[in-house]
Amino acid sequence: MQKLLSLLKNKYFLSTTAFLVWMLFFDRNDLLSQYEYRSQLQKLEQEKQFYTQEIAKVQKDLDELTTNKDKLEKFAREHYLMKRDNEDVFVIIEEEKKEEQKSLF
């Protein structure tokens, strides 16, 4: 009890304790904020990695489309429904499975 009382009278101990409490809980950069910043940083790094991979993939596709005429024709046919003059294009749209299940009952 005497040691605890002497610690509470020590001005250096009190100031250090007050400083630590202030920095851990009340400061703008407290522990909770640091945790949130760290989790946000991890999320942003994951997004950066995803978009870097997507950019590489799109760049590869662009290189293939600009150099290979067959790939360009296939891309135009699939995405823009383009055709040659002597061809017909049939677009098949699949129905959702819910409608198929309703018709079974």
Side-chain angles (χ1 to χ4, degrees):
M1 184 70 171
Q2 190 67 14
K3 287 185 180 183
L4 181 62
L5 190 59
S6 66
L7 271 178
L8 292 177
K9 288 183 180 180
N10 188 344
K11 61 182 175 183
Y12 298 112
F13 176 75
L14 288 176
S15 61
T16 303
T17 305
F19 176 74
L20 288 176
V21 167
W22 179 263
M23 292 303 291
L24 292 176
F25 300 109
F26 301 115
D27 191 43
R28 192 178 97 194
N29 296 320
D30 61 348
L31 287 177
L32 183 61
S33 297
Q34 291 298 321
Y35 176 75
E36 290 173 358
Y37 294 151
R38 191 170 304 261
S39 63
Q40 184 179 11
L41 177 65
Q42 289 174 353
K43 180 183 172 189
L44 290 173
E45 286 176 350
Q46 289 174 351
E47 287 182 13
K48 177 184 173 187
Q49 182 182 10
F50 171 76
Y51 287 122
T52 303
Q53 291 172 351
E54 288 296 314
I55 289 171
K57 179 181 165 186
V58 169
Q59 187 66 36
K60 180 185 170 208
D61 290 344
L62 178 65
D63 290 341
E64 287 180 359
L65 290 176
T66 55
T67 58
N68 191 348
K69 295 287 184 183
D70 294 331
K71 289 270 188 182
L72 180 62
E73 183 178 345
K74 180 181 177 184
F75 182 82
R77 287 173 181 264
E78 290 176 356
H79 289 82
Y80 298 109
L81 304 176
M82 292 184 167
K83 64 179 186 78
R84 292 188 179 144
D85 291 336
N86 59 353
E87 293 179 337
D88 293 328
V89 175
F90 297 97
V91 179
I92 300 172
I93 301 173
E94 294 182 18
E95 294 181 8
E96 292 184 20
K97 292 185 178 184
K98 291 180 182 178
E99 294 176 8
E100 291 176 10
Q101 290 176 353
K102 288 180 184 178
S103 64
L104 292 176
F105 294 111

